[in-house]
Structure formats: structure tokens, C-alpha cells
């Protein structure tokens, strides 16, 4: 019996997983990657350590215009399935506070072992191939068939898995080609915007606190409502704010700003105390050391650069306590796609069958990974989405 011919477009995390699963299921797989090697973006994840996934899994960890659909998809190839897969291909995994990494703490070992498994399964990996067109073909048997045209060649396929990723990242090759291909096939795309990205403010004093790191809280306020609150290490920069708490809510900021809604980030530099306790703390420090100026009361509490910003206009204790607890920053925009780890938006989940990830409009076309309208918070969630959707698309595409 002739093997089913599958073409996977994109050699990132989702594409490699899809190719392996399709080949394991008996298909003949060709993978097309426009970089000079597979897994370029994977190599940069987790600061080069590759945070594979996370023990804590909840629908709140994933953002989508169709969150229930996204969560349902994730149940079909779970955390347990992911860990089992990596054990099978030789990735020893270690857990740190619920975060899973390769024991080597090197993303390169994950990329190498994925490629080894793919080649063992006879996946033909074609690098430096830029796909220009996917053309569904009519066949006498009414089975779907495709021509995939690149700059230099064309490939015939019984099924195509589109796993091109997004334009987020400074990695060479991260672009909008996947959205363009999806749109050319009639699929609707939620506008891609940067996510897991720093935020730029409108104020002029940022150069004064640049380089400061401090544990704190960020609350997003829009239309007089607090929409999101995150805690952790804030990074104060010469353009605004960064750090994981900022990243976690940046996709929401991007969406609001794109709709023309003003967003204010309210920083709390002492989340362990309420306003009254903060004011009392400052007063007790003055009582203990009456020779100190108001500015000197902050010395030892906060980094020097932050103290200087908090003391602008020389506030007295009540106003200073209020600034410490509620420091507003009007957000101008996010940093661009090149500074983002992922995108929010992508091909709408309404375009695919949630149990197979096959296109509703184009039979034989499957979608996987970040190209779809789902993005996760920091902590391995975007890779879990890639492993899940890649595995599901690969298995289903290989079925006769």
C-alpha cells in the first residue's frame, strides 16, 4: 500500500512534532523549513535552556478568542503525553518549581534529539525552502491533494500541515508568511499583535530609573477597571517597564491599544503592605531616625534610582506612600514584534475542527502551533501548545 504523502511547512517545535507523529503513524513526510536549520526559535527559548512545559496546567494560562476550544484541544495531548514523548526520544527532563527543562539545561539538545527522531522516521528535511503557494488540487478520486510551491521546487502532497509560527522574535526567518498562506486559502486570521513583550510608557523620567529591578505588582487599568494584576520582579527601563509580570499582561495591553482604548499600568513597589501600613512604615522610620530627610527614609527600602523618581516634586510622607503603592504609567505602545516572545492572534480556532485541527474550508489542510490564535503565559505554556497541536495535527493528517 502506498504511503500517504504529507508536507509539513515549518520546522519549529510544532512542525517537528507534527512531522515525527505523522511519520510514526506510517506517512511519508517532507518537512520544509526556510531557515538553514530546524528549531531556530526553539534554541532561544528559556534563555537557551528550553522550558519544555509546566506542571501547572489551567485554561487561564492560555489566551485565545476561543478559550474553551483552546483548552479542549490541549486535553488531547497532555502534559503526561508530552513528558512521555520526550522520554521516548531521549530527552531526560528535570523539574524546577513546576517548570520542566532538559536535564542538560540546553535547548540545543532538544533540537538535536527532535531532528534525530525525525530523520530516523525517514522524514525528509528540506531547509532554505520558502513556500510561496499551497494549491489544493482536484483529483478523480475526490481525495484532497496539494501542490506546495517554493522558490525553487514544487512538492505534491495528500495532506499539508501548516506550522509556520509567527512573526514574533528576533530570530531570522520569523515572519508573517504563515498568515499570508492561510489567508490565501480563505482562512480568517485574528490580527496578530506582540505578546510576552515589554511595554513603552509616555513619561519622560524613564532614563532616571533605567536598569532597576524590584519585586512589585503591576495592575492594568482601562476604562476605570482593573483588568489584570501580576506580581514578580519588575524591570524598570529607559522606555518603560519589562519583566515577567509585565510580559504576562502585555498581550491584553496590545489588544486594548489596538482598539484605541487607553491603558494605564499602575505599579505597586511595596505589595506586602497596604497604603496605611506603608505610610506608618515611613513615619516609624522617621521617628527612629528624626535626622533623616523624607528622601533618606527610602534609602535601604528601594534602589537609589527608584528613590530619585519617587521623590520627584519632593512629596511628604502621605503623598510619598501613595506614590509607592500606586505609581501610574500611561502606556504608549508595546515593544515591536522583534522584541516579543510570541504573538497574540492568528488563524481563528473557528477555522479548524478542534479534534483534528483540520481546516473546515480546505480538507486535507491542518494547522498547528503559534500560527493558531492561542498564546500562553511565560513558563513553558507556548511550547506545550506547540507539542499538543503538532502531535494532534501529525497523527490526524496521517490517517487514511
Amino acid at each position: 500500500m502506498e504511503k500517504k504523502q504529507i508536507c509539513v511547512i515549518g520546522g519549529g517545535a510544532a512542525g517537528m512534532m507534527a512531522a515525527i507523529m505523522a511519520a510514526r503513524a506510517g506517512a511519508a513526510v517532507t518537512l520544509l523549513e526556510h531557515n538553514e536549520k530546524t528549531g531556530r526559535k526553539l534554541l532561544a527559548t528559556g534563555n537557551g535552556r528550553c522550558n519544555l512545559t509546566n506542571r501547572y496546567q489551567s485554561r487561564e494560562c492560555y489566551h485565545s478568542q476561543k478559550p474553551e476550544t483552546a483548552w479542549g484541544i490541549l486535553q488531547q495531548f497532555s502534559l503526561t503525553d508530552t513528558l512521555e514523548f520526550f522520554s521516548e526520544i531521549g530527552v531526560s527532563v528535570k523539574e524546577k518549581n513546576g517548570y520542566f527543562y532538559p536535564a542538560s539545561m540546553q535547548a540545543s539538545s532538544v533540537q538535536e534529539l527532535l531532528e534525530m527522531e525525525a530523520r530516523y522516521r525517514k522524514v525528509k528535511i528540506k531547509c532554505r525552502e520558502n513556500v510561496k503557494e499551497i494549491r489544493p488540487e482536484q483529483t478523480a478520486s475526490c481525495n484532497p491533494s496539494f501542490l506546495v510551491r517554493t522558490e525553487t521546487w514544487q512538492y505534491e502532497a495528500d495532506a499539508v500541515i501548516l506550522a509556520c509560527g509567527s512573526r514574533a522574535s528576533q530570530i531570522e526567518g520569523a515572519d508573517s508568511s504563515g498568515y499570508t498562506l492561510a489567508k490565501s486559502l480563505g482562512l480568517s486570521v485574528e490580527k496578530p499583535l506582540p505578546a510576552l513583550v515589554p511595554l513603552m510608557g509616555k513619561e519622560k523620567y524613564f532614563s532616571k530609573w533605567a536598569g532597576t529591578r524590584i519585586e512589585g505588582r503591576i495592575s492594568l487599568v482601562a476604562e476605570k477597571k482593573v483588568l489584570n494584576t501580576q506580581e514578580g520582579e519588575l524591570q524598570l527601563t529607559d522606555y518603560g517597564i519589562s519583566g515577567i509580570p509585565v510580559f504576562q499582561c502585555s498581550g491584553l495591553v496590545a489588544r486594548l491599544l489596538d482598539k484605541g482604548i487607553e491603558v494605564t499600568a499602575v505599579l505597586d513597589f511595596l505589595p506586602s503592605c497596604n497604603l496605611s501600613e506603608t505610610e506608618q512604615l515611613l513615619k516609624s522610620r522617621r521617628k527612629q531616625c528624626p535626622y533623616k530627610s523624607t528622601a533618606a527614609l527610602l534609602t535601604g527600602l528601594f534602589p537609589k534610582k527608584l528613590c530619585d523618581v519617587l521623590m520627584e516634586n519632593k512629596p511628604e510622607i502621605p503623598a510619598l506612600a501613595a506614590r509607592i503603592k500606586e505609581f501610574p504609567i500611561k502606556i504608549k505602545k508595546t515593544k515591536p514584534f522583534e522584541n516579543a516572545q510570541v504573538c497574540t492572534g492568528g488563524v481563528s480556532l473557528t477555522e479548524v475542527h478542534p479534534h483534528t485541527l483540520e481546516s473546515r474550508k480546505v480538507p486535507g489542510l491542518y494547522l498547528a502551533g503559534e500560527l493558531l490564535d492561542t498564546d500562553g503565559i511565560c513558563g513553558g505554556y507556548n511550547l506545550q501548545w506547540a507539542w499538543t497541536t503538532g502531535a494532534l495535527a501529525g497523527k490526524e493528517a496521517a490517517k487514511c
Side-chain angles (χ1 to χ4, degrees):
M1 182 177 173
E2 196 170 313
K3 288 187 174 183
K4 189 171 185 179
Q5 302 289 322
I6 294 178
C7 185
V8 179
I9 303 174
M16 290 293 284
M17 175 65 92
I20 290 167
M21 288 303 192
R24 282 184 174 186
V29 182
T30 300
L31 184 146
L32 306 180
E33 166 57 41
H34 62 184
N35 280 314
E36 73 280 0
K37 66 185 295 183
T38 62
R40 283 289 301 274
K41 194 170 178 181
L42 181 65
L43 292 171
T45 58
N47 292 320
R49 297 178 301 169
C50 195
N51 181 191
L52 289 164
T53 186
N54 200 295
R55 181 169 295 283
Y56 177 74
Q57 294 289 325
S58 167
R59 71 189 67 198
E60 288 73 30
C61 299
Y62 299 89
H63 307 134
S64 172
Q65 297 296 312
K66 297 292 180 182
E68 294 299 324
T69 302
W71 184 240
I73 290 169
L74 283 155
Q75 306 314 298
Q76 297 176 74
F77 190 83
S78 66
L79 168 67
T80 301
D81 297 320
T82 299
L83 296 177
E84 183 178 327
F85 169 81
F86 281 108
S87 176
E88 290 169 358
I89 68 170
V91 178
S92 295
V93 172
K94 73 180 196 179
E95 183 178 358
K96 184 177 180 181
N97 299 323
Y99 295 70
F100 289 95
Y101 298 89
S104 65
M105 297 300 280
Q106 291 184 313
S108 58
S109 61
V110 179
Q111 185 270 336
E112 289 169 14
L113 288 167
L114 283 169
E115 192 163 305
M116 284 183 201
E117 176 71 8
R119 293 191 186 280
Y120 171 71
R121 300 289 174 179
K122 302 293 191 295
V123 175
K124 294 178 183 177
I125 298 175
K126 306 285 188 178
C127 292
R128 298 188 180 90
E129 284 282 41
N130 292 301
V131 174
K132 296 299 182 184
E133 182 185 17
I134 303 170
R135 186 189 305 161
E137 298 282 299
Q138 294 293 329
T139 62
S141 64
C142 296
N143 290 324
S145 179
F146 298 86
L147 276 180
V148 178
R149 186 175 63 82
T150 70
E151 290 178 338
T152 58
W153 199 252
Q154 64 180 27
Y155 299 85
E156 295 182 355
D158 300 307
V160 170
I161 301 174
L162 200 53
C164 303
S166 77
R167 61 179 293 194
S169 177
Q170 294 179 335
I171 300 299
E172 184 180 353
D175 59 23
S176 301
S177 60
Y179 308 129
T180 302
L181 290 170
K183 287 178 181 177
S184 73
L185 293 163
L187 278 60
S188 62
V189 176
E190 299 285 346
K191 184 178 180 179
L193 295 167
L196 300 188
V197 66
L199 300 177
M200 303 178 71
K202 295 181 179 180
E203 285 77 5
K204 304 296 185 185
Y205 54 77
F206 295 132
S207 61
K208 296 180 181 179
W209 72 10
T212 301
R213 294 172 180 254
I214 184 170
E215 292 292 319
R217 178 186 297 140
I218 177 174
S219 298
L220 290 187
V221 179
E223 298 179 325
K224 300 181 179 180
K225 295 179 182 177
V226 176
L227 302 181
N228 197 326
T229 298
Q230 300 287 335
E231 283 193 35
E233 186 183 73
L234 302 172
Q235 296 177 23
L236 311 180
T237 70
D238 60 0
Y239 53 78
I241 48 177
S242 186
I244 289 178
V246 175
F247 288 176
Q248 304 292 45
C249 52
S250 59
L252 174 58
V253 173
R255 287 268 165 234
L256 292 168
L257 292 177
D258 189 61
K259 294 176 182 176
I261 299 172
E262 291 187 356
V263 181
T264 300
V266 179
L267 305 186
D268 180 349
F269 296 116
L270 201 61
S272 60
C273 297
N274 61 30
L275 178 59
S276 175
E277 290 167 340
T278 301
E279 187 173 339
Q280 187 57 45
L281 172 64
L282 295 175
K283 287 179 177 178
S284 66
R285 288 170 73 84
R286 168 161 283 172
K287 184 176 181 180
Q288 187 175 6
C289 302
Y291 56 85
K292 286 184 179 179
S293 65
T294 304
L297 299 178
L298 299 181
T299 303
L301 273 179
F302 304 114
K304 177 67 167 60
K305 289 182 178 181
L306 176 58
C307 294
D308 292 343
V309 172
L310 289 171
M311 283 305 301
E312 280 194 353
N313 302 319
K314 299 180 174 59
E316 288 303 313
I317 284 179
L320 179 58
R323 291 200 85 190
I324 291 169
K325 291 299 295 176
E326 294 188 2
F327 192 94
I329 299 174
K330 293 181 179 179
I331 302 302
K332 178 170 60 176
K333 58 184 177 180
T334 70
K335 277 282 193 173
F337 286 102
E338 291 76 16
N339 299 105
Q341 294 182 26
V342 294
C343 282
T344 176
V347 177
S348 173
L349 295 185
T350 61
E351 292 285 1
V352 297
H353 295 284
H355 297 295
T356 64
L357 298 185
E358 184 177 20
S359 167
R360 294 181 187 273
K361 294 175 181 173
V362 186
L365 176 70
Y366 297 78
L367 293 99
E370 199 183 333
L371 186 62
L372 290 164
D373 172 35
T374 300
D375 59 283
I377 63 174
C378 292
Y381 296 97
N382 289 290
L383 277 182
Q384 182 60 57
W385 177 254
W387 310 135
T388 292
T389 55
L392 183 57
K395 289 176 181 179
E396 294 296 329
K399 291 180 178 179
C400 294

